Amino acid sequence: DVKVTQSSRYLVKRTGEKVFLECVQDMDHENMFWYRQDPGLGLRLIYFSYDVKMKEKGDIPEGYSVSREKKERFSLILESASTNQTSMYLCASVPTVNYGYTFGSGTRLTVV
Amino acid sequence: AQSVTQLDSQVPVFEEAPVELRCNYSSSVSVYLFWYVQYPNQGLQLLLKYLSGSTLVKGINGFEAEFNKSQTSFHLRKPSVHISDTAEYFCAVMGSGGSNYKLTFGKGTLLTVNP
């Protein structure tokens, strides 16, 4: 069974901390995505990557950066965490459009 | 650019009743369309997708959706719901001509099935 694994289900961090959210997929997919999910707002795209070391901004990239050094791993970085970044973060990957996205279980981040 | 509007934020129904979750999209190019389901404290799972061909698409768990190009809609239906269908449902659109596979999601519809 194909998998997208997010390293933490729950995280609590302090304001100003640098935060790393990790996502690993075992399907050899080229394309990977980071979304945040907030009640009443649905899913909003933060960043995506279509190849190793390649990245593109999504709709809400401010305050975030990403890293993709290996094909299977896509990291989301909060450079200086703020309380308005408290959210559910979802990672996804897709090889081609015919299969649809495979999502991880999500990381619920609380910034205090 | 694409956008998705899910017309109902919450839909309460009784068990064994039929249900329709409405989705309209806006796009200047041809699109692919998707419905995802999210159960509590889980990630999203693909229910069904429209890429081309027949406008009536069948998915998992007895759900189906119909693509209507003239009305730019992709409504999700199930003839008889179960308690276990209680979840949040997301409609999503992707431009078919692009190469970055970026999905744009609606804000979601919370389906609550009551006994």
Side-chain angles (χ1 to χ4, degrees):
Chain A
D1 198 12
V2 295
K3 276 194 171 179
V4 175
T5 302
Q6 294 184 233
S7 54
S8 304
R9 289 301 304 272
Y10 300 95
L11 272 180
V12 179
K13 296 292 182 180
R14 296 194 180 278
T15 301
E17 277 194 75
K18 191 168 186 176
V19 180
F20 293 85
L21 303 183
E22 305 289 344
C23 175
V24 177
Q25 50 99 356
D26 64 359
M27 300 165 284
D28 202 36
H29 290 173
E30 292 80 12
N31 306 285
M32 298 187 73
F33 303 81
W34 275 105
Y35 286 85
R36 65 176 282 176
Q37 181 181 14
D38 300 289
L41 297 179
L43 280 76
R44 294 178 291 167
L45 182 63
I46 305 171
Y47 266 97
F48 63 102
S49 167
Y50 50 89
D51 202 351
V52 175
K53 296 189 185 297
M54 306 301 287
K55 60 186 179 183
E56 286 198 28
K57 294 179 180 179
D59 300 318
I60 52 165
E62 296 78 18
Y64 303 94
S65 63
V66 289
S67 172
R68 191 158 181 210
E69 297 296 319
K70 294 184 178 181
K71 191 175 187 179
E72 67 269 20
R73 185 180 296 271
F74 191 36
S75 303
L76 180 69
I77 304 159
L78 285 66
E79 298 291 344
S80 177
S82 64
T83 54
N84 62 14
Q85 293 178 310
T86 291
S87 186
M88 169 71 86
Y89 290 87
L90 290 165
C91 176
S93 71
V94 61
T96 73
V97 68
N98 289 323
Y99 297 97
Y101 285 19
T102 300
F103 279 88
S105 298
T107 296
R108 188 168 294 280
L109 173 67
T110 302
V111 182
V112 299
Chain B
Q2 294 83 38
S3 67
V4 176
T5 302
Q6 291 184 242
L7 296 152
D8 305 293
S9 59
Q10 298 187 51
V11 173
V13 295
F14 288 108
E15 194 172 18
E16 297 183 6
V19 70
E20 178 179 81
L21 306 184
R22 298 180 294 167
C23 172
N24 285 93
Y25 69 92
S26 173
S27 177
S28 57
V29 299
S30 296
V31 297
Y32 300 135
L33 293 156
F34 303 80
W35 275 98
Y36 285 85
V37 60
Q38 185 180 36
Y39 299 104
N41 298 313
Q42 295 188 26
L44 276 70
Q45 178 182 1
L46 180 66
L47 265 182
L48 49 79
K49 59 185 182 287
Y50 170 80
L51 304 180
S52 64
S54 173
T55 57
L56 183 63
V57 180
K58 295 189 183 297
I60 62 172
N61 300 339
F63 284 92
E64 63 180 32
E66 186 156 19
F67 171 55
N68 188 318
K69 188 175 182 179
S70 63
Q71 296 187 7
T72 60
S73 67
F74 191 54
H75 301 332
L76 181 70
R77 301 186 184 99
K78 187 170 183 177
S80 176
V81 294
H82 304 290
I83 299 285
S84 59
D85 291 323
T86 294
E88 190 154 26
Y89 292 79
F90 292 93
C91 182
V93 64
M94 179 190 297
S96 64
S99 60
N100 61 27
Y101 308 114
K102 190 174 85 166
L103 270 180
T104 298
F105 287 85
K107 294 183 178 180
T109 297
L110 179 61
L111 174 65
T112 303
V113 181
N114 298 300

